[in-house]
Amino acid sequence: MSMSSFKTFFPIFKSHPNLTYLDNAATTHKPMHVLNSILDFYKSFNSNVHRGNYPISDKATEEFENVRKKVADFIGAKPNEVIFTSGTTESMNLASELIFYNEIVRDNCTIAVPIEGHHSLVLPFRRFFENQIFYDHRNISEIKSEIALITHVSNVTGTITDPKKIDAKIKVLDCAQSMPHLRINVNKLGVDFLAFSAHKMYGPMGVGVLWVKEEILNRCNPVRLGGGIVDLVERKSIRFNTFTNRFEPGTPNVAGVLGLGAAIDFLKRFDLKKELEKEWELKNYVISNLKKIDEIEIYTDENSAIGIISLYHKNIHPHDISHALGKKGICVRAGNHCTQIFHREILNVPATFRISLAIYNNLDDIKKLIKEIKNISLNQF
C-alpha cells in the first residue's frame, strides 16, 4: 500500500484535502474504523460497565474487558496488569503514587531522570522523590538508582533508549512516542511500569494505559478511591476488590477504551517494520534538504528511524515559522515540547519547531514542507 493511499482511511483529509499534517508527536488523526467504534458504542449499547444487570450493560462490560485483553496481547502482557487511564500523564502520576504510597521503594531513594524526559514523565516523580540524578542516553549505562525514569523515544529528537542498559530496582518507561512506530513487548524491555496514550497511536483522546508488572501490582492498594473498586465498606473498614479495575475508580471512558481497541486493530493490519523503513526514507529526505539552509539547526537522531525532527532557525523564532507554515496548511509544533531543561541545557535554544511523521505522511507532504521553509528563510517575512 502506498503512503498516499493511507490518507483514505482518515476522514480529516477528506474534510481538508490540502492539509499537510506533521504534528503527529502531539497527536495523530483517527481512522474511520476508530471513529465508528466510538459511535457504535453510543448508538448501540451506551451504558456503564461492571454495574448494570441488563443486556446492553453486559455488552459494554464484555467489550470493555475485551480491550483490556487486546492491549495485553498487543504489548505481551497479562490482562490483570493493564490499567486504563486518561493518558500517559495520568499514568505517570498514578505510577508515582503507587510506588510512593505503597512503599515499593524507600522514601529517600534516588531517581534517575532523563534530561530529555517529557514533563509528564518527570514531574510526577519529582513531587515525591527529591534525590535526582539527571542523565541522557549517552551515559545511561553509567547510571545506578532505585528508580529509573526512561523515555523510550524522545519527542524532540526521536532517539530510542534501551531500558535494559540502565541499572535500577524499578524502571518506569514512557512509551507515548514509541507505540505508533515500534512493536512493544514488556517481557523483552525489562521494565516494571510502562505508559502510553491512545491518541498518539490513531486512537481517541482522553484514554491511555498504565501497565504494571504483576508481582508489583499485587503489592499495591488503590491510591485513588471511589465507586466500583470495593467489595465491602463498613464504618471503620474498607475491603477492595481483587480485580485490576480496583485502580480505576468511577465511571471509565468506555467509548475511549473501545476506540483504543479499534486503534490496535488498525495498527495490527500493517507491517510496522516496513512502515518505519518508509518513514526513515522521508526523514532522511527532510534532513538532506534542510541541511542546505545555513540558518537552520537540525536536532534529530539520524541513527533512529523514528521521524521526529526538531529545528531552529537562527533568525526567525520557531513560533513565527510555525504560524507562517500554518497559513500554507502545514501543521508543525513550536515550543519546548515539554522538555525545558533539555532545550535550555543541551540544545542551548529557547524553543524549536518540530516535524513528526505518521503512517499517512508521504513525499508530497515533505516536498511542500521543504519548499515553504525555504521560502520563509529567504523572504524573512
Side-chain angles (χ1 to χ4, degrees), residues 43-305:
K43 286 174 61 179
S44 304
F45 52 101
N46 175 43
S47 54
N48 216 324
V49 296
H50 304 133
R51 292 164 174 80
N53 189 21
Y54 46 87
I56 61 171
S57 179
D58 292 340
K59 169 73 170 174
T61 299
E62 180 182 9
E63 295 295 328
F64 183 85
E65 291 302 329
N66 281 343
V67 176
R68 199 186 304 274
K69 296 174 185 176
K70 189 175 294 185
V71 169
D73 178 69
F74 193 59
I75 63 173
K78 300 174 183 177
N80 63 340
E81 298 173 315
V82 173
I83 301 170
F84 292 123
T85 67
S86 64
T88 304
T89 298
E90 187 190 7
S91 292
M92 289 306 179
N93 275 276
L94 179 56
S96 66
E97 292 164 8
L98 288 172
I99 292 170
F100 182 78
Y101 291 120
N102 287 285
E103 300 180 341
I104 303 300
V105 295
R106 58 190 176 89
D107 288 351
N108 61 342
C109 77
T110 299
I111 62 169
V113 179
I115 202 162
E116 72 270 33
H118 193 282
H119 294 162
S120 66
L121 168 64
V122 174
L123 297 186
F125 285 86
R126 290 182 63 177
R127 175 173 51 145
F128 295 117
F129 304 102
E130 296 181 354
N131 299 325
Q132 302 157 32
I133 303 171
F134 284 89
Y135 73 91
D136 68 27
H137 66 280
R138 292 169 294 185
N139 70 335
I140 188 171
S141 59
E142 302 170 10
I143 299 300
K144 290 186 178 181
S145 64
E146 289 182 81
I147 300 175
L149 310 181
I150 306 164
T151 300
H152 198 203
V153 170
S154 167
N155 73 317
V156 179
T157 64
T159 296
I160 302 172
T161 298
D162 182 356
K164 294 192 294 293
K165 291 184 177 180
I166 196 165
D167 186 356
K169 180 180 178 181
I170 298 293
K171 298 182 184 182
V172 182
L173 189 64
D174 176 358
C175 284
Q177 297 298 334
S178 53
M179 287 302 295
H181 303 280
L182 305 174
R183 284 282 184 243
I184 302 299
N185 187 309
V186 295
N187 297 304
K188 295 180 180 180
L189 291 170
V191 298
D192 304 284
F193 293 78
L194 180 150
F196 60 90
S197 298
H199 74 98
K200 294 181 188 291
M201 50 182 287
Y202 312 106
M205 293 180 175
V207 65
V209 166
L210 175 65
W211 169 83
V212 186
K213 186 183 291 185
E214 184 178 33
E215 62 191 64
I216 293 177
L217 199 58
N218 287 342
R219 296 166 55 189
C220 293
N221 283 317
V223 293
R224 298 178 179 184
L225 307 182
I229 69 170
V230 293
D231 283 336
L232 180 67
V233 177
E234 297 181 320
R235 286 177 179 261
K236 294 185 178 181
S237 65
I238 302 170
R239 187 176 73 219
F240 298 110
N241 71 40
T242 58
F243 302 108
T244 305
N245 68 349
R246 69 187 183 277
F247 301 104
E248 301 166 357
T251 299
N253 181 0
V254 180
V257 168
L258 300 186
L260 168 59
I264 290 173
D265 290 339
F266 177 77
L267 281 172
K268 289 172 72 174
R269 295 168 63 179
F270 308 109
D271 184 337
L272 287 188
K273 186 176 180 180
K274 287 184 178 179
E275 298 310 322
L276 192 59
E277 290 172 358
K278 296 176 186 176
E279 186 175 322
W280 204 352
E281 290 177 7
L282 293 180
K283 177 180 180 177
N284 287 332
Y285 190 91
V286 172
I287 294 169
S288 62
N289 279 273
L290 293 186
K291 279 183 176 179
K292 299 173 185 177
I293 304 176
D294 292 338
E295 296 85 0
I296 293 283
E297 297 284 351
I298 301 174
Y299 306 107
T300 191
D301 186 342
E302 295 189 40
N303 295 315
S304 168

